[in-house]
Amino acid sequence: MATKTMEPFKNKNNQIEVEFAECDCCGLTEECTPAYIARVREKFEGRWLCGLCSEAVKDERIRSSSPEDIITINEALVRHMKFCEQFKSSSPPVNPTEDLIAAMRHLILRSLDSPRKNNNGSSSFVRSKTCFSRFSDGES
């Protein structure tokens, strides 16, 4: 069976025409050819999705069901759109600098509480013997 490839639409100046398409899930805007936009909309029931969201919808479809009972594209799309809405509606931290400092403090305190390999308090770089040879008095 021969596959039909769609040629990008070229305007009078022989340049490929592109349009801006906004993802119906996350709101990301991408430059795309009209043919690509049409293919994506055909695949996702009239909605245009960016590449990341389209992969997330495919993954949601596979992950959410048993092989005998795979959910529809529309069901997976609804689930992913709910996730995107929850993410967009979550507010950023009131003071991101203080949150970062608190996270770093927590990380440092956890690392200080972790067990040490050498618990006797001595440094691991202590020299056990001198580097210089010893000379006895009167001997050569």
Side-chain angles (χ1 to χ4, degrees), residues 34-131:
Y36 177 74
I37 292 170
R39 283 194 309 264
V40 171
R41 284 194 171 141
E42 184 180 308
K43 198 183 289 187
F44 294 105
E45 301 180 359
R47 294 186 174 106
W48 192 84
L49 295 150
C50 68
L52 187 60
C53 287
S54 65
E55 288 300 315
V57 167
K58 289 176 196 174
D59 184 57
E60 181 74 37
R61 193 166 177 227
I62 293 167
R63 186 172 47 88
S64 298
S65 303
S66 63
E68 310 85 42
D69 189 35
I70 294 178
I71 63 173
T72 66
I73 289 282
N74 192 42
E75 289 175 89
L77 187 57
V78 167
R79 289 180 186 183
H80 181 66
M81 289 178 88
K82 282 181 184 176
F83 170 78
C84 286
E85 284 301 316
Q86 288 173 347
F87 182 77
K88 285 193 276 187
S89 68
S90 67
S91 60
V94 177
N95 193 341
T97 305
E98 285 182 13
D99 285 353
L100 177 62
I101 291 169
M104 292 302 295
R105 179 176 176 261
H106 180 71
L107 181 65
I108 290 169
L109 290 174
R110 276 186 38 198
S111 68
L112 290 174
D113 289 339
S114 66
R116 302 278 187 265
K117 288 182 182 178
N118 189 0
N119 286 333
N120 64 3
S122 64
S123 171
S124 61
F125 294 110
V126 173
R127 193 169 45 191
S128 60
K129 294 185 179 181
T130 182
C131 296

Side-chain angles (χ1 to χ4, degrees), residues 11-35:
N11 63 14
K12 313 180 227 186
N13 300 332
N14 208 25
Q15 294 176 343
I16 296 174
E17 186 175 308
V18 293
E19 297 176 7
F20 287 98
E22 183 176 347
C23 180
D24 289 338
C25 288
C26 70
L28 179 75
T29 303
E30 290 183 9
E31 275 187 11
C32 306
T33 62

